[in-house]
């Protein structure tokens, strides 16, 4: 951490800096959490990249080709959609596991050894960096330069001012003629290296000396040295031992390894992987540089607080980047680890840079989180919830702390408070870029087929970050300064869990939307195991159920985190119900007083929440009664308990409750000034509670009134509906979806209010309006915001509402995923057939043919037997051949289905004929006679013909070489 103060700064003693608008220490800085994100990203990338590189260098190419052939044999087309590949995988999951296990090569031990070596190298680099830096500079102890002992008392005094319990080791670099210093070393043994130019001018320029040393001691006090050098060591080792070999492997795979056809077939996936590696390098470097720039400003403010003169930072000659403002110098500044001198000077009086919301760090946070998710993709299914919580906590933690600081600064300085929506958009843009450039969403395609589905994640981020901003403003205006950190912890935990619930749904089910909508109405019924077709009067509801079937709330288990979205309105409701009287917060001395107009602005009190929620609950009750009456419109005995009717009866309360919550949130947000999202969600939450209670009561008493009471003697037309699992499912659907719907509706209501205000202003007397027009940049900024929100809402709506419905044709329900797969190319079809034959198909055919020959041999031995003893021996041989036929047929039946439909038809025929032969063989061995012999002979001829037809088809399609005569 080099101070690098200007060499010609004014030497005269300066004054203590003027009070700044806000103490930068009032909230956590957030840089440590960003360091944690980088460390986790590098660790996860290492655990993903090392096995890939080790496998490429050590794996047998023959076995690797066979293992890859297993996937082709399963019918998986590298160029097809992910949904199609999933259909093929589910058809042949067991056979694929057996096949890949047969040819897999385990290099776990080697990978763990390489990982341990990399970790040991990182520890060694961290340990030896101070030694290397000391020897490179040829530093000497301070006492060797300070022969008169004048500096030691001053340094001891400055160390005491810094409050360091462990004094650092001071050394001097005799080759550095500048007047700077640098702190380095390990946390327990830090070192401050003083330039010889600083030492020789310590007497005439005492203020400069004090400022430089205090700046470096501030780095030690703030704990910058240990984590910075640990990150440096980890990053250097990662580059040399992990990233470079991994990049070499993928370059080899992309341009050199294998045949040209194979390289071109997998070019999209391998290119995406390389691009993602490049993005990782850029994200890590830019994020680390931004963190270090903030650490420098923190050290400047700390040194100034300890008495360093502000005049020391006043350079007489501006740096080039300061003298030539423009986009190129600003872009170059992003790659530097030290901020510009202009920014450092400005921050001494107004540290707004430490409270500003910058687009690039937010974008890089979203990008880094998406890269982290990709490298954590090998984690088992059981820890998906933990992965979702980890990623959400990092994203919301980094962005939320920055947002809280920005809101705090705006409130204390009387500036406009950031909305949080742009924060969510920048985070979401980073995630979208990571998904589009990496292989996660596109797979082996250049782009996902439906990238607009990613806007669902953007919408979720906009929602939770807007909630975070409004909650931060609400709490900051009401709390004392020392109570902000606990409020910050709660204010970040709630949106983190809410985002984690969306991410968990996305990892489990939602990301299939990037490949297209996978559901149909008939397919949905099949996925629920509910046979039958929907009655005409509830057909549209089933189409809506098909949409809901892929949205959050489908998993009602506690581990799915569906309940986390409830916290978005439950926490504000509980907080407002028990909030203390509004008082003026106590803030650090020296900060300017807060204007009275900015104090005490809260969301509507609990009374208004309850009133609005009660009104929404009444609407919900009416809707529930109308929906129930609609379901029972036909003769109840005609519909009874068919599968579609069960499903609609389960889902109708969900839609009504969600609609009531959305309506309530929109109305409340449209009439609320401050914290409109919190107010809308809270009122919608009250509506949800009342609606859930009403749904429960209506279902309990369903069948007790009207003609329905003739259907049951227990006054419960569907008694099982009140069982807890079903009630829990309804609650999960209603509350998870209702919260999202309420959030989006609150945005709509707020937009309507904003438009009405603007229309009201435009209708006033022109003379009363200011004559100055709005700056063009502000117009463009508002236009960009509205366009971004419109794109997010439109994309999410198109993704959700584009559902393929099936007509009322009388056909059995299909599987949930469409079975109509895309036809592969001719070369892919040939490769799939060759792979099917190579990894076991031809072996199974040969085993069946061998079993048939054994049967023929036993049959002929029995027919040609000359004595009873020979006949008995032939029958024993026949029974053995029957058992072998059964085993061979069973093993072949567990093998892959043939990727080509024509080949699969022949394969199914072959298996069926051999089962018939095995059955006829057993009958012949049990009851030998002319009739059983004729039946067995016919079955044998059919089996032989089927095997010949299957072999001929494989040869004709190029899967195997034709036999030479």
């Amino acid at each position: 951490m080099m101070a690098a103060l200007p060499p010609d700064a004014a030497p005269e003693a300066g004054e203590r800096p003027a009070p700044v608008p806000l103490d930068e220490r009032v909230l956590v800085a957030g840089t440590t959490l960003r360091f944690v994100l980088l460390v986790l990203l590098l660790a996860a990338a290492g655990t993903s990249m090392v096995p890939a590189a080790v496998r490429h260098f050590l794996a047998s190419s023959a076995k690797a080709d066979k293992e890859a052939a297993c996937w082709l044999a399963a019918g998986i087309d590298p160029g097809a959609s992910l949904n199609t590949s999933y259909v093929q995988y589910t058809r042949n999951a067991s056979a694929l596991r057996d096949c890949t296990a047969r040819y897999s090569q385990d290099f776990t031990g080697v990978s763990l050894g390489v990982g341990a070596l990399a970790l040991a190298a990182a520890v060694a680099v961290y340990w030896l960096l101070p030694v290397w830096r000391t020897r490179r500079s040829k530093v000497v102890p301070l006492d060797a330069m300070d022969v008169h002992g004048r500096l030691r008392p001053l340094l001891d005094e400055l160390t005491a001012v810094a409050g360091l319990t462990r004094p650092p080791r001071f050394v001097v670099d005799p080759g550095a003629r500048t007047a700077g210093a640098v702190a380095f070393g390990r946390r327990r043994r830090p070192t401050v290296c003083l330039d010889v130019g600083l030492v020789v001018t310590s007497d005439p320029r005492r203020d400069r000396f004090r400022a430089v040393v205090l700046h470096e001691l501030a780095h030690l006090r703030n704990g910058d040295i240990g984590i910075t050098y640990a990150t440096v060591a980890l990053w250097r080792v990662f580059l040399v031992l992990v990233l470079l070999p991994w990049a070499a492997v993928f370059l080899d795979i992309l341009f050199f390894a294998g045949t040209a056809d194979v390289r071109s077939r997998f070019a999209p996936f391998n290119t995406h992987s390389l691009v993602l590696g490049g993005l990782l390098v850029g994200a890590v470097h830019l994020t680390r540089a931004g963190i270090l720039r903030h650490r420098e400003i923190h050290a400047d403010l700390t040194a100034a607080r300890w008495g360093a003169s502000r005049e020391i930072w006043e350079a007489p000659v501006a740096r080039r980047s300061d003298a030539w403002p423009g986009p190129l110098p600003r872009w170059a500044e992003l790659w530097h680890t030290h901020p510009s001198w202009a920014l450092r000077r400005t921050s001494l009086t107004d540290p707004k840079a430490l409270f500003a919301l910058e687009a690039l760090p937010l974008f890089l946070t979203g990008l880094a989180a998406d890269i982290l998710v990709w490298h954590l993709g090998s984690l088992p299914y059981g820890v998906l919830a933990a992965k979702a919580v980890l990623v959400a906590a990092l994203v919301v933690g980094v962005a939320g702390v920055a947002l809280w600081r920005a809101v705090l600064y705006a409130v204390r300085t009387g500036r406009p408070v950031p909305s949080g929506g742009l924060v969510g958009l920048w985070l979401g843009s980073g995630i979208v870029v990571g998904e589009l450039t990496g292989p996660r969403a596109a797979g082996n395609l250049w782009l996902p087929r439906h990238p607009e589905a990613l806007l669902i994640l953007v919408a979720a981020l906009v929602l939770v970050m807007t909630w975070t901003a409004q909650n931060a403003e609400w709490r900051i205006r009401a709390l004392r300064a020392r109570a902000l950190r606990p409020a910050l912890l709660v204010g970040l935990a709630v949106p983190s869990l809410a985002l984690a619930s969306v991410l968990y749904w996305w990892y489990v089910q939602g990301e299939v939307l990037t490949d297209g909508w996978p559901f149909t109405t008939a397919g949905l019924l099949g996925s629920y195991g509910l046979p039958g077709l929907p009655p005409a009067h509830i057909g549209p509801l089933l189409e809506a159920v098909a949409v809901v079937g892929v949205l959050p709330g489908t998993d009602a288990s506690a581990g799915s985190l569906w309940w986390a979205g409830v916290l978005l309105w439950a926490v504000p409701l509980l907080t407002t119900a028990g909030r203390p009287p509004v008082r003026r917060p106590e803030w650090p001395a020296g900060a300017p007083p807060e204007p009275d107009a900015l104090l005490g602005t809260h969301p509507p009190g609990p009374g208004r929440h309850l009133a609005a929620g009660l009104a929404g609950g009444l609407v919900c009750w009416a809707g529930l009664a109308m929906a129930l009456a609609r379901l029972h419109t036909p003769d109840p005995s005609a519909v009874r308990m068919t599968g579609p009717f069960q499903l609609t009866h389960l889902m109708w309360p969900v839609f009504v409750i969600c609609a009531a919550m959305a309506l309530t949130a929109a109305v409340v947000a449209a009439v609320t000034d401050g914290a409109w999202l919190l107010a809308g969600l809270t009122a919608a939450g009250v509506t949800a509670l009342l609606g859930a209670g009403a749904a429960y009561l209506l279902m309990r008493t369903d069948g007790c009134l009207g003609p329905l009471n003739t259907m049951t003697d227990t006054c419960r037309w569907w008694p099982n509906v009140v069982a807890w699992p079903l009630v829990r499912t309804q609650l999960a659907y209603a509350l998870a979806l209702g919260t999202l719907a309420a959030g989006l509706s609150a945005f709509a209501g707020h937009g309507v209010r904003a438009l009405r205000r603007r229309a009201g202003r435009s209708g006033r007397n022109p003379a009363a309006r200011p004559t100055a027009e709005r700056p063009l940049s502000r117009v463009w900024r508002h236009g960009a915001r509205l366009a971004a929100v419109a794109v997010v809402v439109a994309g999410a709506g198109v993704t959700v509402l584009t559902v393929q419905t099936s007509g009322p044709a009388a056909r059995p329900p299909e599987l949930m995923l469409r079975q109509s797969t895309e036809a592969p190319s001719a070369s892919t079809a040939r490769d799939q057939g060759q792979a099917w034959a190579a990894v076991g198909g031809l072996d199974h055919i040969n085993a069946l043919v061998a079993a048939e020959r054994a049967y023929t041999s036993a049959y002929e031995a029995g027919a040609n037997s000359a004595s009873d003893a020979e006949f008995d021996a032939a029958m024993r041989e026949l029974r053995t051949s029957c058992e072998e036929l059964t085993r061979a047929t069973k093993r072949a039946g567990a093998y892959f289905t043939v990727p080509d439909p024509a080949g699969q038809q022949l394969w199914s025929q072959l298996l069926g004929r051999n089962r018939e032969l095995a059955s006829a063989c057993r009958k012949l061995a049990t009851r030998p006679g002319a009739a059983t012999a004729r039946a067995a002979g016919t079955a044998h001829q059919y089996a032989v013909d089927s095997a010949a037809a299957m072999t001929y088809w494989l040869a004709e399609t190029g899967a195997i070489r034709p036999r030479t005569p």
Side-chain angles (χ1 to χ4, degrees):
M1 295 294 179
M2 183 175 292
L5 293 176
D8 300 322
E12 50 271 30
E15 303 174 355
R16 293 180 63 88
V20 295
L22 188 63
D23 192 334
E24 80 281 1
R25 302 168 299 174
V26 67
L27 282 177
V28 294
T31 53
T32 301
L33 190 59
R34 294 170 67 186
F35 268 124
V36 171
L37 174 59
L38 293 185
V39 172
L40 288 178
L41 176 59
L42 295 180
T47 58
S48 174
M49 292 177 172
V50 168
V54 169
R55 179 182 177 84
H56 182 77
F57 286 123
L58 299 182
S60 167
S61 58
K63 285 189 175 182
D65 292 342
K66 285 294 185 67
E67 186 176 1
C70 291
W71 294 87
L72 288 172
I76 296 176
D77 183 1
S81 65
L82 295 178
N83 286 348
T84 300
S85 299
Y86 181 73
V87 170
Q88 296 294 340
Y89 173 79
T90 54
R91 286 175 174 175
N92 297 283
S94 178
L96 184 58
R97 285 193 298 269
D98 295 340
C99 184
T100 53
R102 187 163 63 250
Y103 299 109
S104 65
Q105 303 174 75
D106 188 9
F107 299 102
T108 304
V110 180
S111 300
L112 290 176
V114 174
L117 176 63
L119 183 60
V123 174
V125 171
Y126 172 73
W127 193 267
L128 295 177
L129 268 177
V131 179
W132 174 80
R133 187 153 195 168
T134 299
R135 292 185 177 181
R136 184 193 66 171
S137 303
K138 299 179 181 180
V139 300
V140 298
L142 177 65
D143 296 337
M145 301 293 296
D146 185 25
V147 293
H148 300 291
R150 293 193 300 270
L151 293 180
R152 177 59 63 181
L154 177 58
L155 293 175
D156 292 341
E157 175 195 347
L158 296 178
T159 302
V161 170
L164 298 177
T165 57
R166 187 186 298 272
R169 183 171 66 100
F170 289 97
V171 296
V172 179
D173 184 358
R177 304 300 178 182
T178 56
V182 60
F184 60 89
R186 298 182 293 275
R187 182 178 182 87
R188 294 186 176 275
R189 292 198 59 187
T191 300
V192 175
C193 180
L194 308 176
D195 293 347
V196 68
L198 182 67
V199 173
V200 298
T201 59
S202 58
D203 284 338
R205 298 188 174 184
R206 182 57 58 93
D207 289 329
R208 162 181 291 281
F209 184 86
R210 290 176 59 90
V212 171
V213 174
L214 286 175
H215 177 90
E216 299 307 322
L217 295 179
H219 281 305
L220 300 182
R221 178 64 181 274
N222 295 338
D224 298 345
I225 303 301
I227 192 170
T228 300
Y229 277 84
T231 309
V232 169
L234 186 62
W235 176 236
R236 292 180 179 179
V237 171
F238 177 83
L239 281 177
V240 176
L241 296 183
V242 178
L243 186 62
L244 290 181
W246 177 85
V249 164
F250 269 87
L251 286 173
D252 180 56
I253 294 174
L254 185 60
F255 295 109
F256 306 105
T259 63
D261 181 62
V262 173
R263 291 197 301 269
S264 62
R265 182 178 300 166
F266 293 97
F269 179 86
N270 296 324
T271 303
H272 282 310
S273 299
L274 279 174
V275 170
L276 201 66
L279 290 177
L280 184 147
V281 174
V284 170
H285 183 83
L286 288 173
T287 302
R288 178 175 168 271
I291 294 172
L292 294 181
R293 287 196 300 271
H294 274 213
R295 295 275 185 169
E296 289 296 322
I297 296 177
H298 276 283
D300 288 344
L301 291 171
T302 303
R305 192 178 299 110
W306 288 341
S309 173
R310 183 176 180 272
E311 298 296 330
I312 299 301
W313 280 266
E314 297 292 342
V317 179
R319 293 175 57 184
R320 176 171 295 184
S321 60
D322 297 338
W324 294 354
L328 187 60
R330 288 197 297 269
W331 169 252
E333 200 74 35
L334 297 175
W335 299 85
H336 295 162
T337 58
H338 282 68
S340 65
W341 282 109
L343 180 60
R344 296 177 71 169
R345 288 191 297 269
T346 304
S347 298
L348 291 176
T349 55
D350 186 2
K352 61 182 179 180
L354 300 179
F355 296 90
L357 285 173
E358 300 176 348
L360 181 62
L362 297 171
F363 173 84
L364 293 176
T365 298
L367 178 61
D370 188 76
I371 299 175
L372 176 63
V373 170
W374 166 249
H375 289 296
L376 291 176
S378 60
L379 291 177
Y381 184 84
V383 297
L384 282 181
K387 181 174 77 171
V389 171
L390 173 64
V391 175
L394 291 173
V395 171
V396 176
V398 172
V401 169
L403 188 54
W404 268 72
R405 292 178 64 86
V407 171
L408 176 63
Y409 184 84
V411 170
R412 294 299 299 161
T413 58
R415 302 183 182 185
V417 176
S419 65
L422 280 180
V423 175
L425 287 175
W426 280 111
L427 289 172
S429 63
I431 292 178
V432 169
V433 168
E435 290 286 317
L436 294 180
T437 55
R440 179 175 174 81
N444 198 39
L445 302 175
W446 290 111
L447 282 175
R449 298 175 183 269
H450 293 274
E452 69 275 4
L454 296 172
L455 296 178
I456 296 177
L457 295 179
V458 179
L461 284 167
V462 169
L463 175 63
V464 297
M465 297 316 299
T466 303
W467 187 96
T468 302
Q470 294 186 8
N471 178 70
E473 181 183 6
W474 175 22
R475 306 308 294 159
I476 287 170
R477 294 189 189 279
L479 296 177
R480 301 172 183 267
R482 61 174 177 266
L484 284 184
R485 295 201 176 192
L488 169 66
L489 184 62
V490 176
L492 296 183
V494 170
S496 296
L497 289 173
L499 180 61
S501 66
V502 177
L503 293 180
Y504 177 82
W505 160 79
W506 182 260
Y507 300 152
V508 172
Q509 188 177 18
E511 62 185 356
V512 302
L513 295 176
T514 59
D515 200 50
W517 191 269
F519 294 107
T520 64
T521 303
L524 186 78
L525 294 175
S527 69
Y528 280 95
L530 301 175
L533 293 172
H537 71 291
I538 60 172
L541 184 58
L542 263 182
E543 297 177 7
V545 170
V547 177
V548 174
V550 77
L551 296 180
T554 55
D555 186 356
S557 63
S560 67
L561 304 175
W562 66 267
W563 45 267
V566 178
L567 299 176
L568 293 177
W569 53 264
V571 170
L573 178 62
L574 296 175
T575 304
T576 53
R579 75 178 184 196
V582 177
R583 69 177 77 183
R584 183 184 296 274
E586 295 180 0
W587 293 89
E594 188 173 14
D596 292 337
L598 299 178
L599 288 174
T601 57
H602 291 271
R608 294 184 62 184
H609 289 156
L610 294 175
L614 179 60
L618 294 176
V619 174
C620 186
W621 283 31
L624 290 171
M626 293 174 62
L628 184 60
R630 172 66 177 170
L631 287 176
H632 295 330
T633 297
D635 181 9
S637 61
V639 295
R640 277 290 182 176
M641 297 294 292
T642 62
F645 196 82
Q646 295 179 38
L647 186 58
T648 51
H649 203 285
L650 173 68
M651 295 304 299
W652 61 264
V654 174
F655 294 105
V656 175
I657 293 175
C658 290
M661 292 178 68
L663 178 63
T664 303
V667 172
V668 171
V671 299
T672 304
D673 287 324
W676 47 269
L677 180 60
L678 295 182
L681 287 177
T682 305
V686 177
T687 299
L689 295 177
L690 296 176
Y696 179 80
L697 292 176
L698 285 175
M699 286 185 293
R700 288 287 301 224
T701 58
D702 191 12
C704 296
L705 300 175
L708 296 177
N709 59 8
T710 62
M711 299 185 61
T712 177
D713 297 332
T714 60
C715 191
R716 291 179 186 175
W717 180 67
W718 193 7
N720 290 332
V721 80
V722 298
W724 168 242
L726 295 179
V727 173
R728 183 184 63 183
T729 301
Q730 288 181 332
L731 285 176
Y733 267 119
L735 295 180
L737 290 179
T739 301
L740 294 177
L744 295 177
S745 299
F747 274 94
H750 179 68
V752 170
R753 181 178 179 83
L755 291 176
R756 290 182 58 188
R757 283 187 170 182
R758 180 162 299 187
R761 286 196 299 266
S762 61
R764 294 174 186 170
N765 184 4
R769 295 199 304 266
T771 57
E773 295 183 357
R774 178 179 298 177
L776 185 61
S777 61
R778 189 176 179 185
V779 174
W780 280 106
R781 186 164 60 250
H782 283 285
R785 293 177 182 177
L786 292 176
V789 173
V791 168
V792 169
V793 174
V798 168
T799 302
V800 171
L801 297 179
T802 307
V803 55
Q804 178 186 357
T805 60
S806 61
R811 59 186 178 90
E814 301 171 345
L815 295 175
M816 180 173 60
L817 289 165
R818 288 199 298 267
Q819 300 296 300
S820 56
T821 59
E822 306 165 3
S825 63
S827 61
T828 300
R830 184 182 63 253
D831 292 343
Q832 288 177 341
Q834 292 175 350
W836 186 90
V839 298
L842 191 58
D843 293 337
H844 285 296
I845 294 175
N846 292 333
L848 291 173
V849 171
E852 293 168 2
R853 289 174 179 172
Y855 161 79
T856 302
S857 176
Y859 180 85
E860 292 177 351
N864 299 326
S865 60
S867 63
D868 291 341
E870 291 180 359
F871 184 80
D872 291 339
M875 288 299 100
R876 287 194 297 270
E877 183 180 352
L878 183 63
R879 284 191 290 271
T880 303
S881 66
C882 295
E883 295 174 358
E884 181 57 31
L885 267 171
T886 302
R887 288 193 296 267
T889 305
K890 186 176 181 180
R891 288 193 297 266
Y895 187 61
F896 296 116
T897 58
V898 182
D900 188 272
Q904 176 58 30
Q905 184 177 2
L906 292 174
W907 179 244
S908 299
Q909 187 181 61
L910 174 60
L911 295 177
R913 295 284 175 81
N914 276 274
R915 292 189 190 97
E916 294 174 1
L917 175 59
S919 176
C921 179
R922 287 191 296 271
K923 291 179 181 179
L924 177 61
T926 304
R927 298 187 304 274
T932 54
R934 285 194 300 270
T938 303
H940 175 256
Q941 186 60 46
Y942 286 160
V944 171
D945 292 344
S946 295
M950 187 71 196
T951 304
Y952 178 80
W953 180 84
L954 290 174
E956 186 182 34
T957 57
I960 61 174
R961 292 182 179 180
R963 295 179 179 177
T964 57

